[in-house]
Amino acid sequence: MTARKRITLGIWFVVSLFLDTAVLPRWNAFGLVPFVMLALSLSVTAMFSLQSGLVIGALGGLMEDLLCESMVGLTPALCLLAAAALHRVLMENQPKPLLLFLLFTALAFLVELLLASLSWLIGMRFAFGAAMVYGALPRAILTGLWTMAFMWLFKRVRKGQVDR
């Protein structure tokens, strides 16, 4: 990995962690907070390698859990599953940007669905359908948009790089 790529990933890792833990939970529109660290992990998996995406997802998810969550280990596990699923899909075909956005949104929605299901299983009571339609789906779309923005940024970082 080149120094330029490492520096860019390091900066965006810190920015994503800051956005997920400090900025977006306080300042958001209608309570919709995207998973920026999941978006970073998915975009790194799509643009660079599965290993880089897994490292970012595991470290970022663990740091977010230690700083903000009560269930330590759940966020990194879901980031790792989403990155592995994305890698598996991208190994078989190369989708167009719109389909890639829909894939990112679907993966983010599945992460939201798993989080809601696990929360319901441990005893939280809430309107599951309303939470999925009015909360999880818009957050998944925002996460997909963040992922596309990261991919656009990383495409500019990869410009001029020769693949082996």
Side-chain angles (χ1 to χ4, degrees), residues 90-122:
L90 292 180
M91 273 180 43
E92 296 174 359
N93 46 19
Q94 192 64 29
K96 301 287 185 201
L98 179 62
L99 291 176
L100 201 56
F101 167 71
L102 292 175
L103 177 64
F104 292 147
T105 302
L107 285 171
F109 184 76
L110 287 175
V111 166
E112 291 271 357
L113 182 66
L114 284 172
L115 278 172
S117 299
L118 290 172
S119 298
W120 184 75
L121 281 175
I122 64 169

PDB file of all heavy atoms in Angstrom, residues 90-122:
ATOM      1  N   LEU A  90     -18.657  -8.689  -5.333  1.00  0.00           N
ATOM      2  CA  LEU A  90     -17.794  -8.017  -6.304  1.00  0.00           C
ATOM      3  C   LEU A  90     -16.798  -8.969  -6.958  1.00  0.00           C
ATOM      4  O   LEU A  90     -16.264  -8.650  -8.024  1.00  0.00           O
ATOM      5  CB  LEU A  90     -17.050  -6.862  -5.636  1.00  0.00           C
ATOM      6  CG  LEU A  90     -17.915  -5.684  -5.200  1.00  0.00           C
ATOM      7  CD1 LEU A  90     -17.073  -4.603  -4.564  1.00  0.00           C
ATOM      8  CD2 LEU A  90     -18.709  -5.122  -6.365  1.00  0.00           C
ATOM      9  N   MET A  91     -16.530 -10.121  -6.351  1.00  0.00           N
ATOM     10  CA  MET A  91     -15.653 -11.107  -6.985  1.00  0.00           C
ATOM     11  C   MET A  91     -16.305 -11.695  -8.229  1.00  0.00           C
ATOM     12  O   MET A  91     -15.627 -11.999  -9.205  1.00  0.00           O
ATOM     13  CB  MET A  91     -15.337 -12.247  -6.010  1.00  0.00           C
ATOM     14  CG  MET A  91     -14.173 -11.987  -5.121  1.00  0.00           C
ATOM     15  SD  MET A  91     -13.836 -13.350  -3.992  1.00  0.00           S
ATOM     16  CE  MET A  91     -13.997 -14.796  -4.993  1.00  0.00           C
ATOM     17  N   GLU A  92     -17.616 -11.848  -8.188  1.00  0.00           N
ATOM     18  CA  GLU A  92     -18.325 -12.509  -9.273  1.00  0.00           C
ATOM     19  C   GLU A  92     -18.707 -11.573 -10.409  1.00  0.00           C
ATOM     20  O   GLU A  92     -18.828 -12.004 -11.547  1.00  0.00           O
ATOM     21  CB  GLU A  92     -19.565 -13.207  -8.720  1.00  0.00           C
ATOM     22  CG  GLU A  92     -19.220 -14.319  -7.757  1.00  0.00           C
ATOM     23  CD  GLU A  92     -20.438 -14.913  -7.097  1.00  0.00           C
ATOM     24  OE1 GLU A  92     -21.557 -14.445  -7.374  1.00  0.00           O
ATOM     25  OE2 GLU A  92     -20.250 -15.835  -6.291  1.00  0.00           O
ATOM     26  N   ASN A  93     -18.955 -10.297 -10.108  1.00  0.00           N
ATOM     27  CA  ASN A  93     -19.348  -9.364 -11.168  1.00  0.00           C
ATOM     28  C   ASN A  93     -18.944  -7.945 -10.796  1.00  0.00           C
ATOM     29  O   ASN A  93     -18.629  -7.659  -9.653  1.00  0.00           O
ATOM     30  CB  ASN A  93     -20.854  -9.450 -11.446  1.00  0.00           C
ATOM     31  CG  ASN A  93     -21.665  -9.445 -10.173  1.00  0.00           C
ATOM     32  OD1 ASN A  93     -21.192  -9.047  -9.125  1.00  0.00           O
ATOM     33  ND2 ASN A  93     -22.895  -9.893 -10.269  1.00  0.00           N
ATOM     34  N   GLN A  94     -18.962  -7.076 -11.771  1.00  0.00           N
ATOM     35  CA  GLN A  94     -18.603  -5.672 -11.591  1.00  0.00           C
ATOM     36  C   GLN A  94     -19.832  -4.811 -11.917  1.00  0.00           C
ATOM     37  O   GLN A  94     -20.082  -4.474 -13.068  1.00  0.00           O
ATOM     38  CB  GLN A  94     -17.437  -5.305 -12.523  1.00  0.00           C
ATOM     39  CG  GLN A  94     -16.791  -3.994 -12.230  1.00  0.00           C
ATOM     40  CD  GLN A  94     -16.128  -3.961 -10.861  1.00  0.00           C
ATOM     41  OE1 GLN A  94     -15.691  -4.975 -10.350  1.00  0.00           O
ATOM     42  NE2 GLN A  94     -16.078  -2.798 -10.268  1.00  0.00           N
ATOM     43  N   PRO A  95     -20.623  -4.442 -10.900  1.00  0.00           N
ATOM     44  CA  PRO A  95     -21.865  -3.708 -11.163  1.00  0.00           C
ATOM     45  C   PRO A  95     -21.622  -2.247 -11.542  1.00  0.00           C
ATOM     46  O   PRO A  95     -20.585  -1.667 -11.235  1.00  0.00           O
ATOM     47  CB  PRO A  95     -22.627  -3.806  -9.836  1.00  0.00           C
ATOM     48  CG  PRO A  95     -21.603  -4.088  -8.814  1.00  0.00           C
ATOM     49  CD  PRO A  95     -20.463  -4.775  -9.493  1.00  0.00           C
ATOM     50  N   LYS A  96     -22.602  -1.684 -12.197  1.00  0.00           N
ATOM     51  CA  LYS A  96     -22.597  -0.261 -12.545  1.00  0.00           C
ATOM     52  C   LYS A  96     -22.799   0.578 -11.277  1.00  0.00           C
ATOM     53  O   LYS A  96     -23.217   0.050 -10.245  1.00  0.00           O
ATOM     54  CB  LYS A  96     -23.719   0.037 -13.546  1.00  0.00           C
ATOM     55  CG  LYS A  96     -23.610  -0.744 -14.822  1.00  0.00           C
ATOM     56  CD  LYS A  96     -22.499  -0.209 -15.670  1.00  0.00           C
ATOM     57  CE  LYS A  96     -22.495  -0.952 -17.013  1.00  0.00           C
ATOM     58  NZ  LYS A  96     -21.230  -0.862 -17.664  1.00  0.00           N
ATOM     59  N   PRO A  97     -22.534   1.883 -11.327  1.00  0.00           N
ATOM     60  CA  PRO A  97     -22.630   2.711 -10.112  1.00  0.00           C
ATOM     61  C   PRO A  97     -23.999   2.700  -9.442  1.00  0.00           C
ATOM     62  O   PRO A  97     -24.071   2.659  -8.212  1.00  0.00           O
ATOM     63  CB  PRO A  97     -22.275   4.116 -10.614  1.00  0.00           C
ATOM     64  CG  PRO A  97     -21.385   3.882 -11.774  1.00  0.00           C
ATOM     65  CD  PRO A  97     -21.903   2.620 -12.416  1.00  0.00           C
ATOM     66  N   LEU A  98     -25.089   2.713 -10.198  1.00  0.00           N
ATOM     67  CA  LEU A  98     -26.412   2.697  -9.582  1.00  0.00           C
ATOM     68  C   LEU A  98     -26.660   1.378  -8.849  1.00  0.00           C
ATOM     69  O   LEU A  98     -27.158   1.368  -7.723  1.00  0.00           O
ATOM     70  CB  LEU A  98     -27.507   2.942 -10.621  1.00  0.00           C
ATOM     71  CG  LEU A  98     -28.932   2.917 -10.080  1.00  0.00           C
ATOM     72  CD1 LEU A  98     -29.128   4.031  -9.044  1.00  0.00           C
ATOM     73  CD2 LEU A  98     -29.940   3.042 -11.192  1.00  0.00           C
ATOM     74  N   LEU A  99     -26.290   0.273  -9.480  1.00  0.00           N
ATOM     75  CA  LEU A  99     -26.446  -1.022  -8.814  1.00  0.00           C
ATOM     76  C   LEU A  99     -25.515  -1.146  -7.619  1.00  0.00           C
ATOM     77  O   LEU A  99     -25.860  -1.773  -6.610  1.00  0.00           O
ATOM     78  CB  LEU A  99     -26.205  -2.154  -9.805  1.00  0.00           C
ATOM     79  CG  LEU A  99     -27.262  -2.324 -10.884  1.00  0.00           C
ATOM     80  CD1 LEU A  99     -26.866  -3.416 -11.850  1.00  0.00           C
ATOM     81  CD2 LEU A  99     -28.608  -2.623 -10.262  1.00  0.00           C
ATOM     82  N   LEU A 100     -24.346  -0.533  -7.714  1.00  0.00           N
ATOM     83  CA  LEU A 100     -23.423  -0.535  -6.587  1.00  0.00           C
ATOM     84  C   LEU A 100     -23.999   0.256  -5.417  1.00  0.00           C
ATOM     85  O   LEU A 100     -23.914  -0.173  -4.256  1.00  0.00           O
ATOM     86  CB  LEU A 100     -22.091   0.065  -7.034  1.00  0.00           C
ATOM     87  CG  LEU A 100     -20.859  -0.265  -6.223  1.00  0.00           C
ATOM     88  CD1 LEU A 100     -20.655  -1.767  -6.131  1.00  0.00           C
ATOM     89  CD2 LEU A 100     -19.655   0.387  -6.847  1.00  0.00           C
ATOM     90  N   PHE A 101     -24.635   1.391  -5.707  1.00  0.00           N
ATOM     91  CA  PHE A 101     -25.309   2.166  -4.654  1.00  0.00           C
ATOM     92  C   PHE A 101     -26.426   1.352  -4.015  1.00  0.00           C
ATOM     93  O   PHE A 101     -26.571   1.333  -2.790  1.00  0.00           O
ATOM     94  CB  PHE A 101     -25.854   3.475  -5.233  1.00  0.00           C
ATOM     95  CG  PHE A 101     -26.813   4.177  -4.322  1.00  0.00           C
ATOM     96  CD1 PHE A 101     -26.368   4.797  -3.168  1.00  0.00           C
ATOM     97  CD2 PHE A 101     -28.173   4.196  -4.603  1.00  0.00           C
ATOM     98  CE1 PHE A 101     -27.253   5.436  -2.315  1.00  0.00           C
ATOM     99  CE2 PHE A 101     -29.063   4.831  -3.765  1.00  0.00           C
ATOM    100  CZ  PHE A 101     -28.600   5.452  -2.617  1.00  0.00           C
ATOM    101  N   LEU A 102     -27.211   0.655  -4.830  1.00  0.00           N
ATOM    102  CA  LEU A 102     -28.284  -0.182  -4.295  1.00  0.00           C
ATOM    103  C   LEU A 102     -27.730  -1.331  -3.458  1.00  0.00           C
ATOM    104  O   LEU A 102     -28.313  -1.700  -2.430  1.00  0.00           O
ATOM    105  CB  LEU A 102     -29.164  -0.713  -5.423  1.00  0.00           C
ATOM    106  CG  LEU A 102     -29.992   0.339  -6.157  1.00  0.00           C
ATOM    107  CD1 LEU A 102     -30.726  -0.287  -7.332  1.00  0.00           C
ATOM    108  CD2 LEU A 102     -30.954   1.029  -5.222  1.00  0.00           C
ATOM    109  N   LEU A 103     -26.586  -1.871  -3.863  1.00  0.00           N
ATOM    110  CA  LEU A 103     -25.949  -2.928  -3.087  1.00  0.00           C
ATOM    111  C   LEU A 103     -25.461  -2.401  -1.740  1.00  0.00           C
ATOM    112  O   LEU A 103     -25.666  -3.044  -0.700  1.00  0.00           O
ATOM    113  CB  LEU A 103     -24.784  -3.522  -3.881  1.00  0.00           C
ATOM    114  CG  LEU A 103     -23.964  -4.600  -3.194  1.00  0.00           C
ATOM    115  CD1 LEU A 103     -24.807  -5.831  -2.916  1.00  0.00           C
ATOM    116  CD2 LEU A 103     -22.754  -4.944  -4.038  1.00  0.00           C
ATOM    117  N   PHE A 104     -24.839  -1.224  -1.748  1.00  0.00           N
ATOM    118  CA  PHE A 104     -24.396  -0.613  -0.487  1.00  0.00           C
ATOM    119  C   PHE A 104     -25.579  -0.325   0.429  1.00  0.00           C
ATOM    120  O   PHE A 104     -25.516  -0.566   1.635  1.00  0.00           O
ATOM    121  CB  PHE A 104     -23.640   0.689  -0.755  1.00  0.00           C
ATOM    122  CG  PHE A 104     -22.317   0.508  -1.429  1.00  0.00           C
ATOM    123  CD1 PHE A 104     -21.852   1.464  -2.312  1.00  0.00           C
ATOM    124  CD2 PHE A 104     -21.526  -0.599  -1.193  1.00  0.00           C
ATOM    125  CE1 PHE A 104     -20.631   1.321  -2.931  1.00  0.00           C
ATOM    126  CE2 PHE A 104     -20.306  -0.759  -1.810  1.00  0.00           C
ATOM    127  CZ  PHE A 104     -19.858   0.203  -2.684  1.00  0.00           C
ATOM    128  N   THR A 105     -26.659   0.185  -0.150  1.00  0.00           N
ATOM    129  CA  THR A 105     -27.850   0.485   0.639  1.00  0.00           C
ATOM    130  C   THR A 105     -28.457  -0.798   1.208  1.00  0.00           C
ATOM    131  O   THR A 105     -28.871  -0.829   2.367  1.00  0.00           O
ATOM    132  CB  THR A 105     -28.876   1.234  -0.230  1.00  0.00           C
ATOM    133  OG1 THR A 105     -28.263   2.424  -0.735  1.00  0.00           O
ATOM    134  CG2 THR A 105     -30.108   1.615   0.559  1.00  0.00           C
ATOM    135  N   ALA A 106     -28.502  -1.856   0.406  1.00  0.00           N
ATOM    136  CA  ALA A 106     -29.046  -3.128   0.886  1.00  0.00           C
ATOM    137  C   ALA A 106     -28.191  -3.701   2.014  1.00  0.00           C
ATOM    138  O   ALA A 106     -28.725  -4.211   3.011  1.00  0.00           O
ATOM    139  CB  ALA A 106     -29.140  -4.128  -0.264  1.00  0.00           C
ATOM    140  N   LEU A 107     -26.866  -3.616   1.888  1.00  0.00           N
ATOM    141  CA  LEU A 107     -25.999  -4.114   2.962  1.00  0.00           C
ATOM    142  C   LEU A 107     -26.179  -3.294   4.238  1.00  0.00           C
ATOM    143  O   LEU A 107     -26.219  -3.845   5.341  1.00  0.00           O
ATOM    144  CB  LEU A 107     -24.543  -4.098   2.511  1.00  0.00           C
ATOM    145  CG  LEU A 107     -24.141  -5.192   1.532  1.00  0.00           C
ATOM    146  CD1 LEU A 107     -22.747  -4.943   0.999  1.00  0.00           C
ATOM    147  CD2 LEU A 107     -24.236  -6.551   2.186  1.00  0.00           C
ATOM    148  N   ALA A 108     -26.284  -1.977   4.095  1.00  0.00           N
ATOM    149  CA  ALA A 108     -26.499  -1.130   5.273  1.00  0.00           C
ATOM    150  C   ALA A 108     -27.863  -1.423   5.898  1.00  0.00           C
ATOM    151  O   ALA A 108     -27.994  -1.440   7.126  1.00  0.00           O
ATOM    152  CB  ALA A 108     -26.393   0.346   4.887  1.00  0.00           C
ATOM    153  N   PHE A 109     -28.872  -1.683   5.071  1.00  0.00           N
ATOM    154  CA  PHE A 109     -30.188  -2.033   5.606  1.00  0.00           C
ATOM    155  C   PHE A 109     -30.148  -3.379   6.335  1.00  0.00           C
ATOM    156  O   PHE A 109     -30.777  -3.539   7.384  1.00  0.00           O
ATOM    157  CB  PHE A 109     -31.237  -2.063   4.492  1.00  0.00           C
ATOM    158  CG  PHE A 109     -32.626  -2.322   4.997  1.00  0.00           C
ATOM    159  CD1 PHE A 109     -33.339  -1.329   5.633  1.00  0.00           C
ATOM    160  CD2 PHE A 109     -33.202  -3.572   4.853  1.00  0.00           C
ATOM    161  CE1 PHE A 109     -34.609  -1.567   6.124  1.00  0.00           C
ATOM    162  CE2 PHE A 109     -34.470  -3.822   5.337  1.00  0.00           C
ATOM    163  CZ  PHE A 109     -35.176  -2.815   5.978  1.00  0.00           C
ATOM    164  N   LEU A 110     -29.405  -4.332   5.801  1.00  0.00           N
ATOM    165  CA  LEU A 110     -29.282  -5.624   6.480  1.00  0.00           C
ATOM    166  C   LEU A 110     -28.565  -5.480   7.819  1.00  0.00           C
ATOM    167  O   LEU A 110     -28.921  -6.153   8.791  1.00  0.00           O
ATOM    168  CB  LEU A 110     -28.559  -6.626   5.583  1.00  0.00           C
ATOM    169  CG  LEU A 110     -29.370  -7.155   4.413  1.00  0.00           C
ATOM    170  CD1 LEU A 110     -28.516  -8.044   3.530  1.00  0.00           C
ATOM    171  CD2 LEU A 110     -30.591  -7.900   4.905  1.00  0.00           C
ATOM    172  N   VAL A 111     -27.571  -4.599   7.879  1.00  0.00           N
ATOM    173  CA  VAL A 111     -26.900  -4.330   9.156  1.00  0.00           C
ATOM    174  C   VAL A 111     -27.893  -3.725  10.142  1.00  0.00           C
ATOM    175  O   VAL A 111     -27.953  -4.124  11.311  1.00  0.00           O
ATOM    176  CB  VAL A 111     -25.672  -3.413   8.943  1.00  0.00           C
ATOM    177  CG1 VAL A 111     -25.162  -2.845  10.252  1.00  0.00           C
ATOM    178  CG2 VAL A 111     -24.569  -4.174   8.233  1.00  0.00           C
ATOM    179  N   GLU A 112     -28.700  -2.766   9.675  1.00  0.00           N
ATOM    180  CA  GLU A 112     -29.734  -2.171  10.529  1.00  0.00           C
ATOM    181  C   GLU A 112     -30.752  -3.214  10.979  1.00  0.00           C
ATOM    182  O   GLU A 112     -31.173  -3.219  12.142  1.00  0.00           O
ATOM    183  CB  GLU A 112     -30.469  -1.058   9.769  1.00  0.00           C
ATOM    184  CG  GLU A 112     -29.658   0.166   9.501  1.00  0.00           C
ATOM    185  CD  GLU A 112     -29.765   1.167  10.619  1.00  0.00           C
ATOM    186  OE1 GLU A 112     -30.523   0.936  11.576  1.00  0.00           O
ATOM    187  OE2 GLU A 112     -29.080   2.181  10.534  1.00  0.00           O
ATOM    188  N   LEU A 113     -31.139  -4.089  10.076  1.00  0.00           N
ATOM    189  CA  LEU A 113     -32.103  -5.146  10.401  1.00  0.00           C
ATOM    190  C   LEU A 113     -31.532  -6.090  11.457  1.00  0.00           C
ATOM    191  O   LEU A 113     -32.231  -6.465  12.409  1.00  0.00           O
ATOM    192  CB  LEU A 113     -32.485  -5.910   9.135  1.00  0.00           C
ATOM    193  CG  LEU A 113     -33.518  -7.014   9.282  1.00  0.00           C
ATOM    194  CD1 LEU A 113     -34.870  -6.423   9.666  1.00  0.00           C
ATOM    195  CD2 LEU A 113     -33.631  -7.791   7.986  1.00  0.00           C
ATOM    196  N   LEU A 114     -30.272  -6.460  11.317  1.00  0.00           N
ATOM    197  CA  LEU A 114     -29.648  -7.329  12.315  1.00  0.00           C
ATOM    198  C   LEU A 114     -29.525  -6.635  13.661  1.00  0.00           C
ATOM    199  O   LEU A 114     -29.764  -7.249  14.706  1.00  0.00           O
ATOM    200  CB  LEU A 114     -28.280  -7.785  11.824  1.00  0.00           C
ATOM    201  CG  LEU A 114     -28.284  -8.875  10.765  1.00  0.00           C
ATOM    202  CD1 LEU A 114     -26.887  -9.096  10.210  1.00  0.00           C
ATOM    203  CD2 LEU A 114     -28.828 -10.167  11.336  1.00  0.00           C
ATOM    204  N   LEU A 115     -29.165  -5.351  13.663  1.00  0.00           N
ATOM    205  CA  LEU A 115     -29.091  -4.603  14.918  1.00  0.00           C
ATOM    206  C   LEU A 115     -30.453  -4.531  15.600  1.00  0.00           C
ATOM    207  O   LEU A 115     -30.566  -4.730  16.816  1.00  0.00           O
ATOM    208  CB  LEU A 115     -28.565  -3.192  14.672  1.00  0.00           C
ATOM    209  CG  LEU A 115     -27.067  -3.016  14.563  1.00  0.00           C
ATOM    210  CD1 LEU A 115     -26.727  -1.591  14.136  1.00  0.00           C
ATOM    211  CD2 LEU A 115     -26.395  -3.347  15.871  1.00  0.00           C
ATOM    212  N   ALA A 116     -31.490  -4.240  14.823  1.00  0.00           N
ATOM    213  CA  ALA A 116     -32.831  -4.158  15.392  1.00  0.00           C
ATOM    214  C   ALA A 116     -33.305  -5.520  15.890  1.00  0.00           C
ATOM    215  O   ALA A 116     -33.918  -5.618  16.957  1.00  0.00           O
ATOM    216  CB  ALA A 116     -33.804  -3.606  14.358  1.00  0.00           C
ATOM    217  N   SER A 117     -33.010  -6.570  15.146  1.00  0.00           N
ATOM    218  CA  SER A 117     -33.419  -7.913  15.566  1.00  0.00           C
ATOM    219  C   SER A 117     -32.722  -8.329  16.853  1.00  0.00           C
ATOM    220  O   SER A 117     -33.353  -8.879  17.757  1.00  0.00           O
ATOM    221  CB  SER A 117     -33.110  -8.932  14.467  1.00  0.00           C
ATOM    222  OG  SER A 117     -33.808  -8.608  13.305  1.00  0.00           O
ATOM    223  N   LEU A 118     -31.435  -8.062  16.945  1.00  0.00           N
ATOM    224  CA  LEU A 118     -30.706  -8.405  18.168  1.00  0.00           C
ATOM    225  C   LEU A 118     -31.172  -7.564  19.349  1.00  0.00           C
ATOM    226  O   LEU A 118     -31.257  -8.063  20.472  1.00  0.00           O
ATOM    227  CB  LEU A 118     -29.209  -8.247  17.940  1.00  0.00           C
ATOM    228  CG  LEU A 118     -28.587  -9.285  17.014  1.00  0.00           C
ATOM    229  CD1 LEU A 118     -27.142  -8.937  16.701  1.00  0.00           C
ATOM    230  CD2 LEU A 118     -28.684 -10.675  17.611  1.00  0.00           C
ATOM    231  N   SER A 119     -31.474  -6.303  19.103  1.00  0.00           N
ATOM    232  CA  SER A 119     -31.999  -5.463  20.186  1.00  0.00           C
ATOM    233  C   SER A 119     -33.352  -5.969  20.660  1.00  0.00           C
ATOM    234  O   SER A 119     -33.635  -5.975  21.853  1.00  0.00           O
ATOM    235  CB  SER A 119     -32.133  -4.015  19.711  1.00  0.00           C
ATOM    236  OG  SER A 119     -30.886  -3.489  19.366  1.00  0.00           O
ATOM    237  N   TRP A 120     -34.183  -6.390  19.721  1.00  0.00           N
ATOM    238  CA  TRP A 120     -35.490  -6.936  20.077  1.00  0.00           C
ATOM    239  C   TRP A 120     -35.338  -8.238  20.858  1.00  0.00           C
ATOM    240  O   TRP A 120     -36.058  -8.493  21.825  1.00  0.00           O
ATOM    241  CB  TRP A 120     -36.309  -7.152  18.809  1.00  0.00           C
ATOM    242  CG  TRP A 120     -37.690  -7.628  19.069  1.00  0.00           C
ATOM    243  CD1 TRP A 120     -38.753  -6.908  19.532  1.00  0.00           C
ATOM    244  CD2 TRP A 120     -38.165  -8.967  18.903  1.00  0.00           C
ATOM    245  NE1 TRP A 120     -39.851  -7.714  19.646  1.00  0.00           N
ATOM    246  CE2 TRP A 120     -39.517  -8.988  19.266  1.00  0.00           C
ATOM    247  CE3 TRP A 120     -37.571 -10.143  18.465  1.00  0.00           C
ATOM    248  CZ2 TRP A 120     -40.277 -10.128  19.208  1.00  0.00           C
ATOM    249  CZ3 TRP A 120     -38.328 -11.295  18.420  1.00  0.00           C
ATOM    250  CH2 TRP A 120     -39.665 -11.268  18.793  1.00  0.00           C
ATOM    251  N   LEU A 121     -34.344  -9.060  20.462  1.00  0.00           N
ATOM    252  CA  LEU A 121     -34.133 -10.335  21.145  1.00  0.00           C
ATOM    253  C   LEU A 121     -33.646 -10.166  22.582  1.00  0.00           C
ATOM    254  O   LEU A 121     -33.958 -10.996  23.440  1.00  0.00           O
ATOM    255  CB  LEU A 121     -33.132 -11.190  20.369  1.00  0.00           C
ATOM    256  CG  LEU A 121     -33.670 -11.908  19.153  1.00  0.00           C
ATOM    257  CD1 LEU A 121     -32.551 -12.618  18.417  1.00  0.00           C
ATOM    258  CD2 LEU A 121     -34.759 -12.890  19.540  1.00  0.00           C
ATOM    259  N   ILE A 122     -32.871  -9.112  22.849  1.00  0.00           N
ATOM    260  CA  ILE A 122     -32.381  -8.942  24.220  1.00  0.00           C
ATOM    261  C   ILE A 122     -33.380  -8.204  25.107  1.00  0.00           C
ATOM    262  O   ILE A 122     -33.094  -7.975  26.276  1.00  0.00           O
ATOM    263  CB  ILE A 122     -31.010  -8.238  24.261  1.00  0.00           C
ATOM    264  CG1 ILE A 122     -31.097  -6.814  23.727  1.00  0.00           C
ATOM    265  CG2 ILE A 122     -29.967  -9.039  23.552  1.00  0.00           C
ATOM    266  CD1 ILE A 122     -29.854  -5.995  23.982  1.00  0.00           C
TER     267      ILE A 122
END
